[in-house]
Amino acid sequence: MSDFSLSDLEKKANEIREDVIAMLLSAGSGHAAGPLGMADIFTALYFSVLHVRPHEPKWPVRDRVVLSNGHICPIWYATLAHAGYFPRAELKTLRKLGSILQGHPSRLDTPGVENSSGPLSQGISQAIGMALALKLDKSPAHVYCLMSDGEHEEGQVWEALMSAHKFELKNLTVIIDRNNIQIDGFTEQVMPLEPF
């Protein structure tokens, strides 16, 4: 954790947003709204909340971040670069052949990425598995799962959340981007989620 003030965090989030825009322009494709909307959350996590060591990404007692809605990964990549996991120059390679920064995150390719993702709703199960393993190991590490609102329309999410409750995973925090929209339209028109 760092000693960033609120104004420092706001400034850092805007710097990260600028990098996301530059990355997407360079790639010529990718999602913009989700990454830009989650910049404050990622900045707060990596510069104020998480117990991590960017130069030791596999530190055994590190906190974990699981991104369920992997298509917003440009914000994760930009934040990881700003936090020191890899050089910011690498951001220019987003979605290019051979890059460590593909259109969906890969835990095998990108330092600091804990889960590979693609299909929505799978991240919460991955996060629960990590949290349960950490609990059984009596680790002080915490798992943060970031999700979209639209993916909560899938039964997989609710089955996973029931198991998180059953196993009393107090080392798991879920953060939901409640932006009310998905690829097919507004969430409340596609499949109402309230009371959410």
Side-chain angles (χ1 to χ4, degrees):
M1 287 198 301
S2 70
D3 295 324
F4 272 53
S5 68
L6 183 57
S7 63
D8 290 337
L9 290 171
E10 289 172 346
K11 181 179 179 197
K12 178 58 76 177
N14 284 333
E15 291 171 2
I16 292 171
R17 282 184 180 98
E18 289 173 6
D19 276 353
V20 167
I21 292 167
M23 292 164 64
L24 294 172
L25 286 172
S26 176
S29 65
H31 299 269
L36 295 175
M38 289 295 286
D40 295 316
I41 298 294
F42 275 89
T43 302
L45 284 173
Y46 281 91
F47 293 94
S48 185
V49 175
L50 297 176
H51 297 280
V52 293
R53 295 180 179 171
H55 298 293
E56 191 182 347
K58 296 297 181 190
W59 179 43
V61 294
R62 72 194 178 279
D63 289 338
R64 274 79 166 169
V65 172
V66 172
L67 180 61
S68 188
N69 50 335
H71 61 279
I72 72 162
C73 63
I75 190 60
W76 200 7
Y77 298 156
T79 306
L80 289 170
H82 277 260
Y85 283 86
F86 51 84
R88 283 177 63 193
E90 193 72 34
L91 298 176
K92 296 177 184 170
T93 70
L94 176 70
R95 303 187 116 193
K96 296 191 172 41
L97 288 175
S99 173
I100 64 168
L101 309 176
Q102 288 302 313
H104 282 84
S106 168
R107 69 175 188 80
L108 300 177
D109 298 320
T110 312
V113 167
E114 297 287 348
N115 72 305
S116 299
S117 66
L120 289 172
S121 82
Q122 302 300 305
I124 186 62
S125 291
Q126 292 170 320
I128 287 168
M130 289 179 195
L132 183 55
L134 290 167
K135 178 181 177 179
L136 292 172
D137 288 344
K138 297 181 177 21
S139 171
H142 198 90
V143 179
Y144 295 85
C145 182
L146 293 99
M147 304 181 72
S148 65
D149 52 1
E151 68 187 294
H152 284 78
E153 296 168 357
E154 301 192 32
Q156 152 79 19
V157 171
W158 299 104
E159 292 174 28
L161 291 172
M162 286 188 294
S163 69
H165 176 74
K166 172 187 166 44
F167 294 114
E168 299 178 3
L169 298 179
K170 295 180 176 28
N171 62 342
L172 173 67
T173 299
V174 178
I175 300 169
I176 302 165
D177 180 9
R178 182 63 164 132
N179 60 22
N180 298 300
I181 196 163
Q182 61 192 83
I183 201 161
D184 293 330
F186 293 103
T187 54
E188 296 312 296
Q189 292 171 343
V190 175
M191 181 61 65
L193 294 169
E194 293 301 341
F196 201 45

